[in-house]
Every structure is written in structure tokens, then in C-alpha cells.
Amino acid sequence: MTDASAPTDAPQPAGGPGRRRAPRPGRSRWLAAGGVAVLAGVLGLTLALRAGATPACAAPPAAVPLGVAAPVAAAPPVGGTVHKGKATFYDSKGAGGNCSYPSAPANRLYVALGPTEYAAGAACGGHLDVTGPKGTVRVLVMDQCPECAPGHLDLSREAFARIADPVQGIVSVSYRAVVDPPLPGPLTFRIKEGASRYWFAVLVADHGNPLRAVEVRQGDSGGWRAAARQDYNYWLVESGVGPGPYSIRVTDVYGHRVTAGGIRLTPGQVQRGTVRMYGGGASAGGGRPAARSASPRPSASPTPRATSPRPSPSAAPASSSPSAPDAPVVPLAAEAPAAGCRN
């Protein structure tokens, strides 16, 4: 896995102007009759349009066929909703996955989510309680599983062994997001290699819940700069913030907000702050989160991690307990506008 790949230029349309067919030889009377027919067709089309006939390109989009599920918007699991799905397992070999953590958690209980629930890095750092045939395990969202559909969890081998016999390979599970899990300590910050006063990127960890926003400013005064989330879990200010030290304000999806100060420009080093995301040690300034940055999410994405072939999914899903209401969450993907006619 790499942090990011270079963007590629959009492919240029192929092809050129069509060839004009030369008229076939024939009598002038035949050509005249053909010309009259063409003229009549053009006039008929013009009159139809003036009378209010709808052009073909303005027809409404076709409805989703019966039995075909509508596309699911990308968003991380949040709130208390119980989801049903299936689980397989893999081994990150100690690496921190697409979320760019320096290493896997010490207890090796982690999970990779498919692109829809990974949501371009929005799920990173959250936790899931996963229940299988043998029991329940709590896992850290650390990685992306490129080939996994929504509801397919790719657990670490150790986590899978807590809920099922690894010989099974794939099992039905239920899972739900953990709201405000216990924190291992204050927030940590890692400035990315290559960062400078002119280009800033930071990885925030030990926040418990998925994050909604990260803002940065030079020192402890001045205006806040909204950082844009990258799909490899760094928060980027493309034009930089200055030489540091920095104040970093962090907001999660449930409205917890804290500010950590004194973060130095020391690329590649993990710096532990003095504030927790919630609970004891959280700084003042909690409340509803600020509006998200309008900066578009970059199209470049890291190289997917290598995964081993998986067995076919099992037929029967596991039962689940009644679900609790979802907490509100800002949509992570805008609906594309419908194509219209050109004038």
C-alpha cells in the first residue's frame, strides 16, 4: 500500500469527423423528389418541436428495475444500527493498512472494510463490535478491502478466531459501530514525511469514533484552516500552514471537539497530545462540529493492499438484536446531476 498515487490525465475522446457519402448517380427527377421528401421531414420535425413535443434527450431517466438495489452512498458504520453480513480473515503482517497507521494495534484485533463502508478513509479509527457463532469481538477499522461488498468484513486472523473456527473460512455475522469506546490515551498526531511550512499533512489517531473534520492553524491564534481528508487517512492543507508549532482542532461524527496545541513540524514522528477526544482530559470547546471543508476529495487513491483469494459466501446470515436509531451523519458523497441536452 502506498499513501497516494499520482493522478492521471483523463482519457481524450477518440475518433474524428465522419465521412460524407457522395450522391449516387441517377436522374434529376429522382433527386428532386428525394429533396422534397427530406425538406418535408425537416419541416415536420420543426413543427413538432414548436408544438411542444419533447426531444428524446430530455426524456426522464429510466427507473431502477424491480429487484435491483439502488446504489448505496459511501459512509462509515455509525450509531447503534445492527448490520448483517459475512466475515473472512486476512493478515496485515503488522502493517497499519490503508489508514496509514505506523503498525497494526498491539492486540491485533482489526478489520478491513469494503470501499462503500471504508468511505475514502472516513471509517478509519472507528471501532466495530462483531458477533459470530462463538461470540463478540471489538475491532479497530484499519484497512480497506477493495473487493469486499457492503456487509463483508475482512477481520484479522486473531479477531476471526474470537467469533468462529478459522477452518470455516467465512461465517455470517452481525456488527454495529461502537459509540465512544474507551480511549487508550490522548490524541496522537503524525506529520507526514515531506511536509514543510508550504505543504501540510497530518495523521490523527486514538480518537475512538470516526472523524468528521480536522482544522489547523499556526500557533494558538489566527484563523483556522480546514484540512481535506485523503483516502489514506491523512488530513491535507495543500498550501501549508506555516513553520509551526500548530494548534489542531479535531471533530468527530458525534460532535465531540477538542483542540491540541504545540504540535511541532517533525515529519515521521508520532506526537502524543495532552487532550482526549472525550471523557477525562478533553479540552473545552465541545459541541456541534463546524461545517466540513468545501475542498474536493482528490481522485488519487493508494495502491490497494494485496489480499488472498476468499471462499464463496455462506448462504444463511446470522440473526441480530433490535437496532437502535442511527446518529446523524453528514453525507460523504454528493449525487451526480442528471445529464441534459446541449443547446
Side-chain angles (χ1 to χ4, degrees), residues 185-313:
L187 292 170
T188 65
F189 304 88
R190 185 181 188 275
I191 308 298
K192 196 175 190 316
E193 292 84 353
S196 69
R197 63 185 301 166
Y198 306 108
W199 185 88
F200 180 89
V202 62
L203 172 73
V204 184
D206 290 345
H207 42 80
N209 301 310
L211 295 184
R212 177 177 287 168
V214 170
E215 300 159 282
V216 188
R217 70 183 179 192
Q218 169 70 33
D220 55 4
S221 62
W224 290 102
R225 302 284 303 279
R229 190 204 318 268
Q230 309 300 292
D231 55 7
Y232 51 95
N233 197 32
Y234 272 85
W235 294 81
L236 173 67
V237 179
E238 190 76 43
S239 59
V241 189
Y246 310 104
S247 293
I248 300 180
R249 186 162 67 183
V250 182
T251 308
D252 71 17
V253 296
Y254 303 116
H256 302 299
R257 173 185 283 170
V258 297
T259 300
I263 307 303
R264 306 180 310 279
L265 182 59
T266 53
Q269 296 183 15
V270 175
Q271 303 177 58
R272 185 167 292 278
T274 58
V275 294
R276 294 173 180 259
M277 197 66 211
Y278 45 81
S283 67
R288 302 310 301 169
R292 291 190 62 186
S293 167
S295 303
R297 183 178 293 122
S299 59
S301 59
T303 304
R305 60 176 177 82
T307 55
S308 57
R310 291 171 173 78
S312 57

Side-chain angles (χ1 to χ4, degrees), residues 16-38:
R19 296 183 179 178
R20 186 186 300 271
R21 178 180 293 178
R24 294 175 59 187
R27 291 179 296 180
S28 58
R29 184 178 301 172
W30 183 88
L31 291 174
V36 171
V38 171

Side-chain angles (χ1 to χ4, degrees), residues 2 11 13 16 37 48 70 91 108 141 148 165 193 208 221 232 269 333 343:
T2 57
D91 187 353
R108 297 190 57 82
V141 178
C148 290
D165 186 342
E193 292 84 353
S221 62
Y232 51 95
Q269 296 183 15
N343 293 329

